Amino acid sequence: MPSHPRRRNQAAPPREDVLAAAMDTIAERGLDGLTMAGLGRQVGMSSGHLLYYFRTKDELLLQTLEWSEGRLGAERSALLSRPGTARERLDGYVDVYVPHGPRDPHWTLWLEVWNRSQNADDDARARQAAIEGAWHRDLVAILAEGVSRGEFRAVDPDRFAHRMRALLDGFSVHVAVGIPGTGREQVLAHVREFIAETLISRP
């Protein structure tokens, strides 16, 4: 991607290129390193041109999150459609959910969007809820499949999914911010133990 200023008669880069560049910047330099001016230089657009398309940095962050979530959604869809047991699919879901480590760019972005959501408008909140809803529905589907096959205990898939995602969110925040004692492998072990105790074990 060119670093020099874009000529006026050149078309603006595709939206996906801008969002990918924003995510790359977050991965390399964190959120503090993501500025409209810096991103504009990276993709050959002025900061004013970026503001024309995204209006605010909040909107840029939310669209970048939506773009990143679209890629993760494709991973989840492939996971749900492949052969195997419900437990294998559940383990795969957890693997996709939990951050790779401190400053994971996707989770760094999520934390910032959550923080800014306190002052977000109804449209932004609805878009965040849509992202959350997709994760929830996929987890409910895995749990329902496991229950129907007799792999899991007879839990209510929707209620259990709410509780499990709260557990995953809490652990994931700890991984993303680098709290000692809660690295990715430790968290995955905790979650496997939780699944074994609550879904697999029978009284």
Side-chain angles (χ1 to χ4, degrees), residues 146-164:
V147 171
S148 68
R149 288 183 173 185
E151 292 182 44
F152 300 154
R153 294 173 58 188
V155 299
D156 180 312
D158 185 66
R159 286 175 58 83
F160 194 92
H162 278 292
R163 294 171 181 174
M164 184 165 179

Side-chain angles (χ1 to χ4, degrees), residues 121-143:
D121 60 24
D122 291 342
D123 174 68
R125 285 182 175 274
R127 288 157 64 192
Q128 292 174 40
I131 296 171
E132 298 271 8
W135 281 98
H136 186 77
R137 287 191 300 274
D138 286 348
L139 180 54
V140 169
I142 295 170
L143 294 170

